[in-house]
Amino acid sequence: RPLRIQTPRKMKGRSNYTMTEEPKMNPRVCRYLRKSRDDGEGESLQETLARHMRITEAMAADRGWGIDETYEEVVSGASIGDRPEMMRLMADMRDGRWDVVVVVDVSRLSRGDGSDQSRISNAFRLTGTRCLSDYRIYDLDNADDLELFERKLQSSRDEYKSITKRLRRGVDATV
């Protein structure tokens, strides 16, 4: 699945990120949606998933792409082993089914530990699958993209640990 390199360009009114790569032909595109039961975003599960669907649809549409399949799960677990849709997505990536996976934010892929983060990074890197998130394409064969992608995963993990610590303190204070 060769990609051609273009000069960076800003997406109109979307974000501060630049786009450097566009697939030569219509890529095979899917999206991954994950909602944690305890996200506390102040909206219902259905509202959050619908909003994430609209966002990912818009990101793909900005490139003239359609989304062929959606992997969706509601799970709060930190481990990807407890997430059947993520496991199915990674298997499909290994089978060469997808060129691009669209996610609302890289943090939706994992809040797991370093081994989970490595499994996800490797699934993208070793299969040549790109990740479109926040109107930016991550090509994990590119060292800068790989570093940013992994930093976002680690930041997500740090946030998860902080939330867990605050929840434990709250429970301990009520006992």
Side-chain angles (χ1 to χ4, degrees), residues 9-11 13-19 134-136:
R9 61 183 169 83
K10 293 230 183 221
M11 294 302 295
R14 292 296 181 186
S15 74
N16 294 329
Y17 294 114
T18 59
M19 308 309 298
D134 194 30
Y135 293 90
R136 183 188 204 293

Side-chain angles (χ1 to χ4, degrees), residues 168-175:
R168 272 195 224 121
R169 274 193 301 227
V171 168
D172 291 347
T174 61
V175 175

Side-chain angles (χ1 to χ4, degrees), residues 117-168:
Q117 293 171 14
S118 289
R119 286 175 71 187
I120 290 171
S121 291
N122 285 336
F124 280 95
R125 191 176 54 77
L126 297 175
T127 63
T129 307
R130 307 303 187 247
C131 179
L132 173 60
S133 177
D134 194 30
Y135 293 90
R136 183 188 204 293
I137 296 175
Y138 292 89
D139 171 0
L140 300 193
D141 285 333
N142 175 295
D144 292 335
D145 284 356
L146 177 62
E147 181 180 354
L148 182 56
F149 186 85
E150 289 180 343
R151 280 186 186 186
K152 285 182 170 261
L153 287 177
Q154 183 58 48
S155 176
S156 169
R157 175 66 179 169
D158 293 345
E159 178 186 10
Y160 175 78
K161 290 190 309 189
S162 177
I163 290 168
T164 303
K165 187 187 299 184
R166 283 194 305 271
L167 290 173
R168 272 195 224 121

